[in-house]
Amino acid sequence: MLNTYTNTSQAVAVNGTLTFNNTAISACQFVRHTAGSASTALTGTGYYLVIFNADAAITDSTAGNVTAQLQVDGAVYPGAEATFYSTAATDIGNLSFATLVKVQPNCCAISDNIPKTLTVVNTGLAATYTNAALTIYRVRAQL
């Protein structure tokens, strides 16, 4: 299990990644995160429950969607997205999603299954995120 968070505000540009500055719990050898980085690595086969939560608002005066999207190895992970329509920098909303990520073993034909690198990307308007948290559980080791 991993629980990492940033309890201060961070301005994130369009298509920028959120960083997680603190690691509260790191109790699984197959989930790796360095405090202060944007990426988390899943290094063992199995199913992982990924939970994201944050408060956010736009950083400028243009109203629009603030969207947090999970990416796995740089590609959008379908269904792991949260959107909030923000009308002003003081219009703060909560973004959250939960999803399962499957990590298959490497083999002679496919050698890039492990590790899987996870990032949370701001795919909407530039936004200020506060209290961002990422929790990952390895829920099943075997496929």
Side-chain angles (χ1 to χ4, degrees):
M1 173 176 39
L2 172 79
N3 176 252
T4 185
Y5 66 94
T6 297
N7 56 355
T8 57
S9 295
Q10 57 180 308
V12 184
V14 175
N15 295 320
T17 55
L18 279 74
T19 58
F20 300 93
N21 292 335
N22 305 290
T23 301
I25 299 170
S26 181
C28 177
Q29 66 180 349
F30 301 110
V31 182
R32 302 277 184 215
H33 175 78
T34 300
S37 72
S39 63
T40 301
L42 306 180
T43 62
T45 61
Y47 293 93
Y48 295 83
L49 176 61
V50 178
I51 304 166
F52 169 78
N53 185 67
D55 299 321
I58 57 173
T59 56
D60 60 23
S61 60
T62 304
N65 288 333
V66 176
T67 303
Q69 170 75 59
L70 180 67
Q71 291 190 358
V72 177
D73 292 337
V76 168
Y77 196 78
E81 174 184 86
T83 300
F84 166 72
Y85 187 82
S86 182
T87 58
T90 57
D91 188 13
I92 300 168
N94 183 263
L95 301 168
S96 64
F97 60 76
T99 193
L100 286 171
V101 174
K102 180 180 179 180
V103 179
Q104 298 194 51
N106 288 336
C107 66
C108 59
I110 302 172
S111 61
D112 63 350
N113 283 332
I114 300 174
K116 291 291 183 202
T117 302
L118 310 182
T119 53
V120 178
V121 179
N122 178 49
T123 57
L125 294 176
T128 300
Y129 285 81
T130 307
N131 299 320
L134 186 67
T135 303
I136 301 174
Y137 298 94
R138 186 177 191 213
V139 294
R140 184 172 174 196
Q142 296 179 345
L143 302 176

